Amino acid sequence: MEVTAQTLRVSDVLAPVTTLGPGRRLGVWVQGCPLTCAGCMSRHTWDPRGGRDVDVERLAALWRRGLADGYDGLTVSGGEPLEQPRALAALLDAVDRVRHEAGRTDADVLVYTGWEDAEIAASPRAAAALARADAVITGRYRAGEPTRLVWRGSANQRLIPRTPLGHRRYGPHLRRLTDRPELQIRVTDTAVHIIGVPRTGDLSALERDLATRGVTFQENSWRP
Ligand code: SF4
C-alpha cells in the first residue's frame, strides 16, 4: 500500500543505530512485507496497514540532523522497502540531495531487501528505487542457513556494493565474520526493541534472561 511517492509507510525510525552497517547511522524500518520468511524477527512489520505514514522530507530532516551530528550513514530495513518503490526512490533522492548540501558525500546508504538479485534485475521500478543506494543486502531470510557474516541473517543473503563509496565502505566487510552477534537493545515503558541481526537462538536466550529479571513479554515480533 503506497500512499504517495512523498510518503513512506514506516514501522520505526531510530538513531543512532550501530548494528546494521558501519558506524553510527539513522535507521528507517518500513512497514509492510508480503514475503513471510519463516523465522522472521520482524513480523510486526508485515501488515501494510500497520505503522504510520511519514513524509519523506521529514525523514530527510532527520538525516540532515544526523549528518550534522557526525552520522556515518543511513540504513533502510523493514518490512520490505521494495514494496514502496516510488516512496523509496523519493526518500533516497532526498537523502542524496541532503548529503551533498551538507558536504557529507562520505555518508553512505544501505538498503536491506528480501528480494533476490534476479527479482530486482527483472523489475525496472525496483532497480530505479535502488539507484541511490551505495550498498544493498539482498535475499530472503532462511532460518536453516545460519551465518556469521556480518550484518546478514542467513548465508544466502548477499551484501552488494553499488557505488564507489559503497565499494570503499563495504568492500572490507563482504566476507567478514563476527564472533558474536552485534545487537542493540532499546527499552521503553512498553517495548523492548532489538536492533541488529541475531543468530539462531539469541532471541529465545534473551527472553529467558529477561524473565530471570522479572521482565516477560505479552507478545513478541518473532513468534507467530
Ligand atoms: S525477514 Fe525481511 S523479507 Fe523476510 S518476512 Fe521478515 S521483513 Fe520480510
Side-chain angles (χ1 to χ4, degrees):
M1 182 174 66
E2 191 172 349
V3 183
T4 75
Q6 301 303 323
T7 306
L8 189 69
R9 194 77 177 170
V10 161
S11 169
D12 220 343
V13 180
L14 295 173
V17 170
T18 59
T19 53
L20 294 171
R24 295 163 68 236
R25 313 179 67 82
L26 175 64
V28 176
W29 284 260
V30 307
Q31 183 71 30
C33 180
L35 301 179
T36 62
C37 305
C40 170
M41 68 178 283
S42 306
R43 296 172 65 94
H44 63 293
T45 66
W46 287 7
D47 184 351
R49 296 163 301 181
R52 63 191 194 277
D53 295 332
V54 179
D55 195 285
V56 159
E57 287 303 323
R58 189 153 163 249
L59 295 170
L62 291 176
W63 171 239
R64 185 185 300 279
R65 209 176 307 158
L67 291 179
D69 199 24
Y71 283 17
D72 299 285
L74 165 77
T75 296
V76 181
S77 186
E80 176 46 64
L82 291 179
E83 284 298 303
Q84 303 179 64
R86 288 194 307 149
L88 178 64
L91 173 64
L92 299 194
D93 278 351
V95 159
D96 189 53
R97 186 194 76 230
V98 168
R99 67 180 166 180
H100 278 87
E101 289 170 356
R104 287 294 317 280
T105 51
D106 59 309
D108 75 275
V109 175
L110 171 66
V111 178
Y112 278 81
T113 172
W115 287 33
E116 309 291 348
D117 301 344
E119 294 171 320
I120 296 169
S123 167
R125 291 183 85 196
L130 294 173
R132 305 273 190 209
D134 297 296
V136 292
I137 292 180
T138 61
R140 312 285 195 275
Y141 170 66
R142 296 185 196 155
E145 299 182 31
T147 186
R148 288 173 50 216
L149 288 167
V150 69
W151 304 319
R152 278 148 284 183
S154 54
N156 62 296
Q157 293 179 327
R158 297 185 64 215
L159 169 56
I160 306 170
R162 296 171 56 94
T163 65
L165 172 60
H167 280 280
R168 280 200 306 279
R169 186 152 287 182
Y170 290 89
H173 302 288
L174 298 182
R175 306 302 306 167
R176 183 166 74 84
L177 304 178
T178 55
D179 292 331
R180 62 181 73 176
E182 298 172 355
L183 299 177
Q184 280 175 275
I185 311 289
R186 178 172 169 266
V187 181
T188 67
D189 287 346
T190 56
V192 177
H193 296 266
I194 299 158
I195 306 163
V197 184
R199 303 234 178 97
T200 306
D202 284 343
L203 297 176
S204 297
L206 175 69
E207 203 172 357
R208 284 195 301 275
D209 182 56
L210 288 172
T212 66
R213 302 165 198 232
V215 179
T216 55
F217 297 127
Q218 290 176 318
E219 57 183 337
N220 69 42
S221 65
W222 59 86
R223 204 168 287 141

